[in-house]
């Protein structure tokens, strides 16, 4: 059964984040399956327009509420009416704010069911909207219930998020469907000369090992814990390479200097998405101390690139990062130190972990499998 699918999201290209990556990959997979897909999203300005499959509604930035957040300002009746007249079979919302309101409006007019993907653990982001962590978590739970109660089904990328939503009292059907990756983007071979040139641009010595982090530089990513580990560890033969940017970068730069590790921490800033695969090849091991992930797409991008992962233990990594098979989950500084030492000094182990990491991701997280699982859920809801 071929379907008309409307995906609504507050973030879309040219913005790059986990939500956008998931939407882009899902759109690609569904289109290749023969479905007709359109995107409803927010513009980066007050101007509303159409581009390709996407309709962009005028908006303003409200980053003080949530990083990179935008709020719909334009009514854009013509564009909304066109989508209603298109008569989608199903609406798949990806964000809980401005475009969710539009999703409900179109769903009501076209009698299409709404399925919603819950991407963000809002209780880990309380520092953006509440001075009290317990009050913030209660607000996050109440907000989530109110939103998800207006859908027919919920998609979560990991069992960690499913368990959390159940504690919130969510009664809608919940399907665990991990987001898929465009694996071919990360299976590119680069020459030694290309990688050597890139290393030299960031002042890395030929014999230095690289602990790699790729992602947003935000408070909830807990990057300062990596700094603490680095400061306590006096080895000088490796550097921490932070690829990406975000609202916490300036604070992190100050912290690195205060902790006297500024010469062992490299900030690249934002890099073009087309170049990101090359940066994964600079790493010897991918590291993260974040516990705010719903799934952690960068972990999987690193793994398919052949990098072992050493990450702070978190339920979203269960059955993904498997100890001594494709990486390690750590619980303490001593454990982190031992695992890094082991990987960086034992070439055979590092090669084995990296090889297993690539295989494990290729088997489970393709765009094709992701799209097929989501389309199967659509089919069940459309046929109710």
């Amino acid at each position: 059964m071929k379907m008309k699918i409307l995906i609504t999201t507050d973030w879309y290209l040219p913005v790059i984040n986990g939500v956008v990556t998931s939407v882009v990959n899902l759109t690609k997979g569904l289109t290749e399956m023969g479905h007709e897909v359109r995107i409803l999203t927010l513009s980066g300005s007050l101007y509303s327009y159409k581009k390709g499959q996407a309709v962009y509604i005028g908006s303003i930035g409200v980053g003080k509420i949530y990083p990179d957040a935008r709020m719909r300002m334009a009514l854009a009746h013509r564009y909304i009416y066109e989508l209603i007249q298109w008569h989608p079979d199903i609406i798949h919302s990806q964000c809980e704010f401005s475009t969710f309101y539009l999703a409900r409006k179109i769903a009501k007019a076209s009698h299409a069911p709404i399925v919603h993907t819950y991407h963000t653990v809002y209780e880990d982001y309380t520092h953006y909207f509440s001075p009290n962590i317990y009050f913030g978590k209660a607000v996050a739970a109440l907000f989530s219930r109110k939103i998800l109660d207006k859908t027919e089904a919920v998609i979560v990328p990991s069992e960690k998020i499913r368990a959390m939503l159940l504690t919130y009292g969510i009664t809608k059907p919940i399907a665990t469907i991990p987001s898929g990756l465009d694996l071919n983007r990360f299976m590119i071979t680069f020459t030694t000369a290309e990688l050597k040139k890139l290393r030299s641009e960031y002042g890395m010595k030929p014999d230095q090992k690289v602990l790699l982090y790729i992602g947003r530089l935000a408070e909830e990513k807990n990057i300062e814990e990596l700094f603490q580990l680095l400061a306590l560890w006096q080895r000088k033969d490796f550097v921490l390479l932070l690829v990406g940017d975000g609202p916490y970068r300036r604070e992190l730069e100050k912290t690195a200097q205060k902790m006297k590790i500024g010469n062992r921490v490299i900030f690249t800033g934002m890099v073009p998405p087309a170049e990101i695969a090359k940066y994964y090849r600079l790493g010897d091991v991918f590291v993260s101390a974040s516990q705010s992930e719903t799934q952690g797409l960068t972990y999987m991008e690193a793994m398919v690139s052949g990098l072992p992962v050493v990450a702070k233990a978190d339920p979203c990594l269960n059955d993904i990062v498997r100890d001594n098979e494709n990486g390690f989950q750590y619980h303490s500084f001593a454990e982190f130190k031992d695992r890094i030492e082991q990987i960086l000094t034992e070439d055979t182990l590092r090669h084995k972990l990296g090889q297993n990491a690539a295989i494990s991701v290729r088997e489970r997280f393709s765009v094709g499998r992701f799209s097929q699982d989501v389309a199967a859920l659509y089919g069940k809801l459309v046929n109710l």
Side-chain angles (χ1 to χ4, degrees):
M1 172 186 174
K2 303 306 178 185
M3 293 176 279
K4 293 180 180 179
I5 302 160
L6 175 63
I7 299 177
T8 64
T9 172
D10 286 9
W11 294 283
Y12 193 57
L13 300 173
V15 174
I16 298 296
N17 60 29
V19 173
V20 176
T21 298
S22 181
V23 171
V24 167
N25 290 338
L26 180 59
T27 301
K28 179 178 184 288
L30 293 171
T31 302
E32 289 176 351
M33 292 172 68
H35 301 296
E36 189 177 349
V37 183
R38 295 189 185 180
I39 312 294
L40 177 61
T41 188
L42 299 182
S43 165
S45 70
L46 289 173
Y47 176 64
S48 299
Y49 62 95
K50 292 168 67 174
K51 183 178 180 180
Q53 294 169 281
V55 172
Y56 291 80
I57 304 298
S59 70
I60 60 169
V62 287
K64 289 185 178 180
I65 298 174
Y66 180 81
D68 304 321
R70 300 194 68 83
M71 180 182 295
R72 177 181 61 88
M73 291 299 289
L75 296 176
H77 292 306
R78 175 168 65 89
Y79 294 115
I80 303 304
Y81 180 73
E82 285 178 3
L83 289 171
I84 291 171
Q85 290 299 105
W86 179 58
H87 199 82
D89 294 302
I90 194 156
I91 298 172
H92 188 165
S93 64
Q94 306 280 336
C95 296
E96 295 81 7
F97 300 104
S98 288
T99 54
F100 185 78
Y101 167 80
L102 296 175
R104 288 188 63 208
K105 182 175 181 178
I106 296 169
K108 183 177 180 180
S110 60
H111 306 290
I114 297 179
V115 60
H116 182 79
T117 293
Y118 194 91
H119 285 284
T120 305
V121 183
Y122 289 106
E123 64 178 52
D124 288 334
Y125 291 69
T126 56
H127 49 277
Y128 290 116
F129 60 85
S130 171
N132 184 290
I133 188 171
Y134 299 105
F135 175 74
K137 287 186 176 183
V139 170
L142 177 61
F143 170 72
S144 299
R145 284 198 301 274
K146 285 186 174 294
I147 292 294
L148 299 182
D149 188 53
K150 297 175 174 66
T151 69
E152 276 65 55
V154 183
I155 293 174
V156 294
S158 66
E159 284 298 309
K160 167 188 173 180
I161 308 307
R162 184 177 186 276
M164 182 190 73
L165 291 183
L166 290 176
T167 68
Y168 288 177
I170 303 301
T171 58
K172 296 294 180 176
I174 302 174
T176 302
I177 304 177
S179 295
L181 292 175
D182 184 358
L183 301 178
N184 292 330
R185 287 184 59 210
F186 304 98
M187 297 168 66
I188 303 171
T189 301
F190 299 98
T191 65
T192 302
E194 286 179 289
L195 298 179
K196 184 177 180 180
K197 180 176 181 294
L198 189 57
R199 285 177 65 100
S200 67
E201 288 176 7
Y202 292 107
M204 288 185 278
K205 299 174 183 177
D207 59 342
Q208 280 184 316
K209 301 292 186 182
V210 178
L211 309 187
L212 178 69
Y213 168 89
I214 294 183
R216 289 180 69 250
L217 304 185
E219 186 175 352
E220 65 275 4
K221 299 300 183 180
N222 200 24
I223 296 168
E224 285 171 323
E225 181 168 308
L226 298 177
F227 285 7
Q228 291 164 4
L229 296 169
L230 210 63
L232 290 168
W233 202 354
Q234 296 305 310
R235 287 186 56 162
K236 310 293 185 183
D237 59 344
F238 63 80
V239 295
L240 174 63
L241 182 64
L242 301 177
V243 180
D245 213 333
Y248 209 52
R249 175 175 174 173
R250 184 169 295 182
E251 187 65 31
L252 289 172
E253 289 175 332
K254 292 177 181 177
T255 300
Q257 294 302 324
K258 287 178 183 177
M259 298 176 72
K260 299 181 179 179
I261 57 171
N263 62 337
R264 289 192 286 155
V265 180
I266 300 171
F267 294 84
T268 70
M270 288 295 293
V271 301
E275 297 287 318
I276 199 67
K278 187 183 295 185
Y279 282 79
Y280 279 112
R281 302 292 177 175
L282 294 182
D284 291 285
V285 56
F286 187 85
V287 294
S288 176
S290 174
Q291 293 185 300
S292 66
E293 310 300 324
T294 56
Q295 180 181 354
L297 291 178
T298 55
Y299 297 91
M300 294 170 204
E301 291 174 356
M303 291 167 74
V304 78
S305 301
L307 278 183
V309 171
V310 177
K312 191 165 187 177
D314 187 74
C316 82
L317 297 178
N318 291 349
D319 200 38
I320 294 176
V321 178
R322 297 189 288 270
D323 286 354
N324 208 35
E325 183 177 333
N326 55 22
F328 296 96
Q329 295 188 50
Y330 75 88
H331 300 81
S332 66
F333 166 68
E335 195 172 0
F336 177 89
K337 176 179 178 296
D338 289 347
R339 298 312 186 194
I340 294 294
E341 288 267 18
Q342 196 176 4
I343 290 173
L344 295 185
T345 57
E346 298 180 25
D347 291 342
T348 301
L349 174 65
R350 186 168 69 254
H351 177 74
K352 182 196 83 169
L353 295 176
Q355 192 173 53
N356 288 344
I359 292 170
S360 63
V361 171
R362 286 199 295 265
E363 288 177 347
R364 298 177 57 194
F365 300 106
S366 69
V367 169
R369 179 168 178 175
F370 172 43
S371 305
Q372 289 168 9
D373 290 346
V374 172
L377 177 60
Y378 292 164
K380 292 177 182 177
L381 294 174
V382 169
N383 292 320
L384 284 178

